[in-house]
Amino acid sequence: MKPAPFAYTRPGSLAEALATLAGDPDAKVLAGGQSLVPLLSMRLAAPSALVDINGLPDLDGVTVTASGVRVAALARHADVLASAEAAAVQPLLAMALANVAHPTIRNRGTTVGSLVHADAAAEMPVVLSLLGGSVDAASTAGTRTIPAAELYVGPLQSSLRHDEVAVSAFFPALAPGAGVAFEEITRRQGDYALCGVAALVDGASVKVGYLSVSDVPTVVDLSGIPVEEMGEAALAHLEPADDIHATADYRAHLVRVLTTRVVRSAYDDARGRR
Amino acid sequence: MTTKLVGTPVQRVEDQRFLRGQGRYVDDIANDPSTLHAAVLRSPHAHARIIDIDVDEVLDLEGVHAVWTHDDLAGPMAEPLPLLIPHPSLTHGRTQYALAKDEVNYVGEAIAFVVADDRYVAEDAVGRIRVSYEFLPPVVGIDAARAATHLVHDDVPGNIGARMEQHNGDAPAAIAAAPHRLELDLTIERSACTPLEGRGTVARWDPDVNRLQVWSSTQTSTGVRAAVAVKMGLDLGQVDVITPDVGGGFGVKINHPWPEELLVPMAARALGRTVKFTEDRREHFISSAHERGQVQHIEVGFDDDGRLLGLDVMFWHDHGAYTPYGLIVPIITSTQLLGPYKPGAYRVVFESLYTNTVMVTPYRGAGRPQGCYAMERTMDAIAQFLGKDRAEVRAINFIQPDEFPYDHGLIFQDGRELEYDSGDYPASLVKLKALVGWDEFPAYKAEMAAAGRQVGIGLACYVEGTGVGPYEGAHVHIETSGKVKVATGLTTQGQGHATVFAQLVADELGVKHEDVEVVTGDTRRMPYAVGTFASRAAVMSGSAIHLAARRAKEKVLRIAAEALEADEKDLQIVDGVVSVKGSPGSAIDLGTVSVLSNPLRYAFDEASKAATQFSVGDPGKPPVAEGEEPGLEGRDFYSPERATFASGMHAVVVETDPETAEITILKYAVVHDCGNLINPMIVEGQIHGGVAQGVGGALYERMAYDESGQLLNASFMDFLMPYVTEVPDGIDIDHLETPSPLNPLGVKGAGEAGVIPSAAVFAAAIEDAEGIPIIAMPISPSDLFHLRQIHAKEPS
């Protein structure tokens, strides 16, 4: 479990990092390393070079405004989770982040890294999708904003180009009167969920995001459907699968159970905020 | 008087070091750039013939020093690895080669061995080896092995390595004549020890003295030493094996020699360099050992009270691709299944079967969890059938306190009679029922049901044969500083031997606990030893150390009596000072006694002057009296007639979520009887760890092999060893101390106990909560969800 050889650079400026990435299509960005390093060690990934962005200035921090929470590329999950301001503006962040792995992993892993790793079993891509957030990506050609709806294109695949660095993500604030909730079922605390559900309700609007029951982070608009039937309705958009931890049928069952539970919790949350 | 330490919760002397990261494991040995590192090419296929191995590209890689395949091995090294424990019933035992010869039989089997400047380069080199295979059909799982449509080994018909039967009385006839009969079919899946430190070996050849030094993360340094010497054609005296700190064993490291334990020394001698192999996690999953997988069929006959009249058990044991550790695991299942009960007539038959999977060798509990599961599920089934209390049915079958020694009329794993030495099962049950609130549970269950919650309770009992022979030894040396150095040959994997063995010596010799230093698992210090397994360290080495300390004390008293001109009977040793009782002025410290024990010609410091030829001794007698030896030492061995039988009972209360089928532990209670307690805190620690591992085996862990023999969960991401968040917050423990008559300390083993009843006790509790028979373990929420669906459709 030792990585294959790779070049390692730790650029001092974003421009330098972007130039390196532009010159080497097989280079990968290293931030928290919580997904990438195990892949390297198991030799499931063998990039030519790692561009370590941990030395870059101005990519740290969580910025909170009335419109939402901006998380810079080097902010760790633990930084976002610790921000009371962020939790006040968008409570779903803390609700979901508490379920991201374990404290040691949250201390190293970055939220933006998790977003662009695009794992449909991860919490934060679903949260970004549900909230309609976005990721800002920089390259030598400039900076662009990728809406969540355009970010996730396939299993473990984002629309981020190889020459881009995701420099920040933006999670919109919770609208007045709206409510959110999050729950997942895991085998062990901190494991990837067998099924996870995030809900955003605002008046008659009900949107629900799902993790671990589809190939890509999936948000389903369940507005207008009786709450007991929402899970069944959502299953039309999901593809729960068998694996060694749970059957597809059990996961589908969890979709039904959790959808009802989480939507109700989101309405409770909305009422509690009035 | 010095306060007696045995029986008290002395703090572990090891923990400061371990908690501060100062433990020294095999991978910490020879940590300098001159050490070479090994990596192993392992079979990616479960069953294949090797047509060709092309290593041409390997040596081109900078930093690679050598590569070996089976073709490069010579002499005993090219022969199969030893079958450690032969048995007449093991008619078709097979072991692998250090490097595969012609055929591979499981994913992970070693094929080639590369040594390079570092592990990174070694793995790069492994990636360059090209092997051509002819695929053979894999045999995966007990059903496929029994069907024997395909064979693991061409020359083993039916995939049957062994078939063994033992009986006491005529069980089929007793069952046929019984008022009531039941049959049960049960399965239990594979798990594994998964110590946090995997296997590892370092070897250094010293050409100046023609000696080999080996460090290995093993549970038997003497076993590794003997195997290395034989395989390398060395005299035993040329090989030292040292076991440094070991990060867990749980059984997997008692098997030996692992291929790398031979290949690393071979490479070190061939290359004239220190060579290190450190197993990584994936390798541990696919190339070490697993345990537990069995299918069981039970027939039982009983009377109206639930008393067993006849018990007839057939089980099929999956031993994987090879049988280096013989039949120990299934023999233990077949005998220890009986637990604390009198079975009436008993017959047990097992078949030990080959499959194209990682081999099976003992894992903490070593076949007992499966046996306990079979017996305790049977007890629950009888209680259910008769509508009786489950504890009552157990109690009526207990061996009674006045029936010891109790001979089951069977042969145990050590080749000796299965004869229980002592125990008090009725007293244990009384304690357990009080501890868990057994009699109050029905009311609690009803109260919870009214609140929409489902809870269930289960209990399970076991008896564990511990402290098997053949022997252990000890050496106690009182230095001229007054400090006491103790050596025993078995190894330590975190049990706290340095603490408890020092307690024994401190009490016997009358010295301070901190003045006793214990060394284990170093063949230079104690070359005669067996190993750490079968919950035997306290019983075997503890007894040997106690006896050796007594011998040292006898010598202390002889010398001190002469020096103090007093009678031995009037002497006492307190805090390292020998004095005449009642005359405190007349005293000599142990260091001075040690000086006097070794008559000197040359003084090398102030203290030693006292032992020189013009200072001491009767000029008319030899300086070393006849029958004496110089030095203040004691050495002794302990070798029992048979194992001593510890026992215990667990109870658990679980809650099952009516919607998600999640299983939550609400309460866990243990009553444990390992005879006299040397250190209750350490015994409780063993129970805690065992229960945690048992929770893993019952609710989380399984070896997910697919039909082609690939292990799909060979990582801690997918093999669900429980975290601290999954084990009970608290474990209620009560002890009973029924001394063993077989050893001078009256102790019984405690290391494995905590894990034995887990599958049985969780199955019982979940069954009680759900009202659905639980016949397959482990069980996950997904499994429970499906069981509910099946039973909703077909109410039983």
Side-chain angles (χ1 to χ4, degrees):
Chain A
M1 288 226 226
K2 301 292 183 197
F6 56 82
Y8 171 86
T9 57
R10 189 179 165 97
S13 72
L14 182 59
E16 193 189 331
L18 296 176
T20 306
L21 287 170
D24 182 353
D26 293 326
K28 285 288 282 181
V29 172
L30 173 69
Q34 297 303 290
S35 297
L36 179 58
V37 172
L39 289 171
L40 296 177
S41 294
M42 289 187 265
R43 298 199 176 207
L44 294 172
S48 56
L50 290 190
V51 180
D52 182 348
I53 62 169
N54 285 287
L56 298 187
D58 309 325
L59 286 184
D60 244 334
V62 179
T63 313
V64 182
T65 62
S67 62
V69 179
R70 183 162 295 278
V71 177
L74 291 175
R76 313 292 154 170
H77 292 303
D79 299 333
V80 186
L81 184 55
S83 169
E85 296 83 359
V89 166
Q90 181 43 270
L92 186 59
L93 286 176
M95 291 178 189
L97 279 164
N99 291 279
V100 174
H102 305 275
T104 47
I105 293 174
R106 294 199 293 263
N107 286 343
R108 288 295 308 167
T110 63
T111 300
V112 172
S114 170
L115 291 173
V116 298
H117 186 58
D119 190 336
E123 290 80 0
M124 299 318 285
V126 168
V127 168
L128 189 82
S129 300
L130 179 67
L131 298 176
S134 60
V135 165
D136 278 8
S139 69
T140 49
T143 299
R144 65 175 179 135
T145 297
I146 311 171
E150 294 167 24
L151 186 60
Y152 299 112
V153 295
L156 292 168
Q157 255 188 316
S158 80
S159 55
L160 193 76
R161 298 194 311 262
H162 77 83
D163 64 336
E164 286 180 316
V165 171
V167 291
S168 71
F170 181 71
F171 296 89
L174 188 64
V180 285
F182 185 95
E183 189 177 339
E184 64 180 35
I185 303 286
T186 58
R187 286 296 277 117
R188 300 173 299 185
Q189 190 171 94
D191 280 351
Y192 283 115
L194 300 176
C195 174
V197 175
L200 171 63
V201 299
D202 191 356
S205 164
V206 179
K207 289 180 183 165
V208 182
Y210 292 90
L211 50 131
S212 293
V213 283
S214 57
D215 281 349
V216 294
T218 301
V219 176
V220 183
D221 189 333
L222 296 169
S223 309
I225 298 172
V227 71
E228 301 77 21
E229 294 167 27
M230 283 180 178
E232 196 60 48
L235 282 169
H237 304 269
L238 303 172
E239 291 177 326
D242 288 326
D243 70 10
I244 60 173
H245 303 304
T247 62
D249 284 351
Y250 177 62
R251 285 198 163 87
H253 173 74
L254 292 181
V255 166
R256 292 184 199 101
V257 170
L258 289 184
T259 301
T260 306
R261 267 193 203 173
V262 174
V263 169
R264 285 193 172 131
S265 297
Y267 274 114
D268 288 346
D269 182 65
R271 272 191 293 278
R273 289 177 197 288
R274 279 194 203 121
Chain B
M1 269 308 279
T2 309
T3 316
K4 197 164 175 278
L5 297 179
V6 169
T8 66
V10 174
Q11 290 295 306
R12 283 165 45 104
V13 298
E14 298 91 342
D15 288 347
Q16 283 291 333
R17 207 160 52 78
F18 289 152
L19 294 174
R20 290 171 191 274
Q22 291 160 357
R24 192 167 165 78
Y25 301 89
V26 166
D27 197 50
D28 299 316
I29 305 291
N31 231 347
D32 65 79
S34 69
T35 296
L36 302 180
H37 295 261
V40 177
L41 172 70
R42 301 187 184 280
S43 174
H45 306 296
H47 200 190
R49 250 185 275 287
I50 297 171
I51 306 302
D52 180 57
I53 307 174
D54 177 358
V55 297
D56 288 353
E57 284 182 52
V58 171
L59 293 171
D60 298 344
L61 196 63
E62 194 184 329
V64 173
H65 290 258
V67 56
W68 282 266
T69 67
H70 187 270
D71 285 349
D72 306 310
L73 305 180
M77 204 71 161
E79 297 298 313
L81 299 181
L83 202 165
L84 293 168
I85 310 178
H87 189 283
S89 294
L90 183 55
T91 51
H92 293 78
R94 298 288 180 274
T95 58
Q96 69 182 86
Y97 293 85
L99 293 169
K101 179 174 189 275
D102 304 332
E103 187 173 318
V104 285
N105 281 301
Y106 62 93
V107 170
E109 186 164 354
I111 293 174
F113 187 73
V114 175
V115 176
D117 281 343
D118 60 45
R119 173 81 183 205
Y120 293 82
V121 176
E123 288 192 23
D124 294 345
V126 162
R128 291 182 171 214
I129 300 171
R130 300 281 165 257
V131 184
S132 326
Y133 298 97
E134 177 196 337
F135 301 119
L136 299 169
V139 179
V140 181
I142 289 175
D143 290 348
R146 286 176 66 188
T149 313
H150 303 292
L151 296 180
V152 175
H153 301 288
D154 290 342
D155 55 353
V156 180
N159 292 313
I160 300 170
R163 182 185 162 89
M164 185 171 169
E165 174 174 338
Q166 289 205 71
H167 60 265
N168 187 7
D170 186 346
I175 294 167
H180 309 290
R181 288 176 287 278
L182 280 173
E183 291 188 26
L184 286 89
D185 287 286
L186 305 171
T187 62
I188 186 165
E189 290 191 42
R190 275 190 177 205
S191 185
C193 301
T194 57
L196 287 188
E197 183 203 21
R199 297 180 294 110
T201 301
V202 173
R204 180 182 292 150
W205 174 258
D206 185 339
D208 295 328
V209 291
N210 273 326
R211 283 181 71 86
L212 179 70
Q213 205 150 47
V214 180
W215 290 260
S216 199
S217 187
T218 180
Q219 292 174 229
T220 172
S221 44
T222 45
V224 172
R225 183 193 194 205
V228 167
V230 164
K231 286 289 188 181
M232 290 183 64
L234 297 170
D235 292 335
L236 210 51
Q238 286 176 281
V239 183
D240 300 322
V241 176
I242 303 155
T243 305
D245 289 328
V246 172
F250 310 111
V252 67
K253 295 173 185 173
I254 191 60
N255 189 58
H256 66 281
W258 292 96
E260 298 84 356
E261 280 176 326
L262 302 175
L263 296 166
V264 167
M266 176 196 75
R269 184 163 65 164
L271 299 173
R273 297 277 295 269
T274 304
V275 177
K276 178 185 290 187
F277 166 76
T278 304
E279 183 187 58
D280 70 28
R281 186 52 54 188
R282 182 175 158 73
E283 289 182 294
H284 189 77
F285 274 105
I286 64 169
S287 70
S288 289
H290 302 163
E291 220 232 82
R292 304 278 197 257
Q294 286 182 358
V295 171
Q296 304 166 335
H297 177 74
I298 299 146
E299 297 183 16
V300 61
F302 49 97
D303 67 13
D304 293 343
D305 296 328
R307 189 175 289 106
L308 297 175
L309 300 174
L311 181 64
D312 195 2
V313 177
M314 170 84 207
F315 69 92
W316 294 266
H317 172 78
D318 172 3
H319 66 221
Y322 299 104
T323 56
Y325 214 75
L327 297 177
I328 293 300
V329 174
I331 289 175
I332 293 177
T333 301
S334 67
T335 48
Q336 297 263 267
L337 184 149
L338 296 172
Y341 310 113
K342 292 180 279 192
Y346 179 54
R347 178 172 73 171
V348 61
V349 179
F350 68 78
E351 286 181 357
S352 196
L353 301 170
Y354 284 102
T355 57
N356 288 112
T357 58
V358 169
M359 66 192 185
V360 163
T361 65
Y363 159 31
R364 194 182 203 168
R368 291 177 192 85
Q370 301 95 309
C372 180
Y373 173 66
M375 182 55 113
E376 296 297 309
R377 292 280 64 210
T378 303
M379 285 289 165
D380 287 339
I382 292 170
Q384 160 116 27
F385 179 87
L386 295 173
K388 285 191 171 294
D389 179 85
R390 289 171 286 167
E392 225 175 90
V393 168
R394 286 168 168 85
I396 204 160
N397 285 292
F398 282 154
I399 295 163
Q400 296 300 308
D402 60 1
E403 293 181 283
F404 293 95
Y406 186 88
D407 188 348
H408 272 293
L410 304 170
I411 300 299
F412 191 40
Q413 61 139 326
D414 53 359
R416 310 262 161 156
E417 281 165 10
L418 183 72
E419 182 183 296
Y420 294 179
D421 52 332
S422 65
D424 190 344
Y425 312 136
S428 289
L429 185 62
V430 168
K431 278 177 178 275
L432 183 75
K433 285 173 70 175
L435 198 59
V436 77
W438 183 264
D439 292 333
E440 297 76 34
F441 188 77
Y444 172 72
K445 187 175 182 175
E447 188 189 313
M448 293 295 270
R453 294 172 66 181
Q454 281 178 197
V455 295
I457 193 168
L459 87 163
C461 312
Y462 63 91
V463 168
E464 182 196 359
T466 68
V468 299
Y471 72 88
E472 286 299 334
H475 180 246
V476 172
H477 178 200
I478 302 167
E479 298 214 357
T480 53
S481 61
K483 307 265 187 201
V484 184
K485 307 294 176 182
V486 180
T488 189
L490 56 62
T491 61
T492 299
Q493 299 92 44
Q495 292 91 338
H497 293 161
T499 303
V500 294
F501 293 160
Q503 284 177 252
L504 298 171
V505 172
D507 273 7
E508 185 61 29
L509 277 183
V511 296
K512 290 180 182 161
H513 191 255
E514 60 263 34
D515 286 340
V516 184
E517 182 191 83
V518 177
V519 168
T520 59
D522 185 338
T523 61
R524 299 170 304 182
R525 296 284 300 275
M526 176 45 77
Y528 294 101
V530 184
T532 301
F533 56 92
S535 302
R536 69 193 292 282
V539 177
M540 302 301 300
S541 278
S543 295
I545 286 168
H546 172 77
L547 296 173
R550 177 167 292 173
R551 285 191 185 278
K553 181 183 182 178
E554 286 163 5
K555 188 162 187 180
V556 166
L557 295 179
R558 282 200 299 277
I559 295 168
E562 193 171 328
L564 298 172
E565 296 177 343
D567 193 312
E568 280 180 42
K569 289 194 294 293
D570 298 330
L571 298 181
Q572 60 179 5
I573 315 176
V574 177
D575 286 347
V577 176
V578 191
S579 60
V580 181
K581 288 175 205 160
S583 37
S586 187
I588 182 170
D589 63 77
L590 283 180
T592 307
V593 177
S594 178
V595 168
L596 295 176
S597 74
N598 180 21
L600 295 173
R601 184 169 176 85
Y602 311 114
F604 43 85
D605 61 8
E606 274 307 311
S608 57
K609 283 180 186 169
T612 51
Q613 59 201 36
F614 297 108
S615 306
V616 285
D618 180 341
K621 289 182 186 167
V624 178
E626 196 175 333
E628 287 282 10
E629 291 176 4
L632 198 48
E633 299 177 316
R635 186 171 131 115
D636 212 335
F637 291 83
Y638 172 68
S639 180
E641 281 170 54
R642 57 172 59 86
T644 173
F645 288 79
S647 65
M649 302 175 185
H650 290 201
V652 67
V653 177
V654 301
E655 176 169 9
T656 56
D657 187 306
E659 286 190 313
T660 63
E662 289 170 287
I663 300 158
T664 310
I665 303 166
L666 300 183
K667 189 176 180 65
Y668 202 105
V670 176
V671 173
H672 186 242
D673 185 352
C674 60
N676 293 333
L677 297 169
I678 301 173
N679 185 323
M681 183 188 68
I682 283 179
V683 170
E684 291 190 6
Q686 286 283 12
I687 293 170
H688 292 161
V691 169
Q693 252 177 337
V695 167
L699 301 179
Y700 294 96
E701 300 168 356
R702 53 181 26 134
M703 288 295 169
Y705 274 105
D706 69 11
E707 64 278 11
S708 67
Q710 295 292 335
L711 185 59
L712 301 179
N713 60 342
S715 79
F716 276 149
M717 204 164 82
D718 285 317
F719 176 87
L720 306 179
M721 182 162 75
Y723 302 129
V724 70
T725 42
E726 280 64 50
V727 299
D729 283 344
I731 299 169
D732 297 327
I733 298 176
D734 199 355
H735 297 284
L736 199 69
E737 294 187 66
T738 312
S740 170
L742 299 180
N743 63 69
L745 302 172
V747 298
K748 303 178 177 188
E752 297 168 273
V755 82
I756 294 170
S758 311
V761 79
F762 278 103
I766 295 165
E767 184 171 286
D768 187 46
E770 295 282 325
I772 295 173
I774 303 297
I775 56 168
M777 289 296 278
I779 185 166
S780 70
S782 182
D783 297 332
L784 181 55
F785 164 76
H786 285 279
L787 279 179
R788 284 175 179 176
Q789 286 200 315
I790 291 164
H791 285 271
K793 277 184 210 139
E794 317 161 8
S796 53

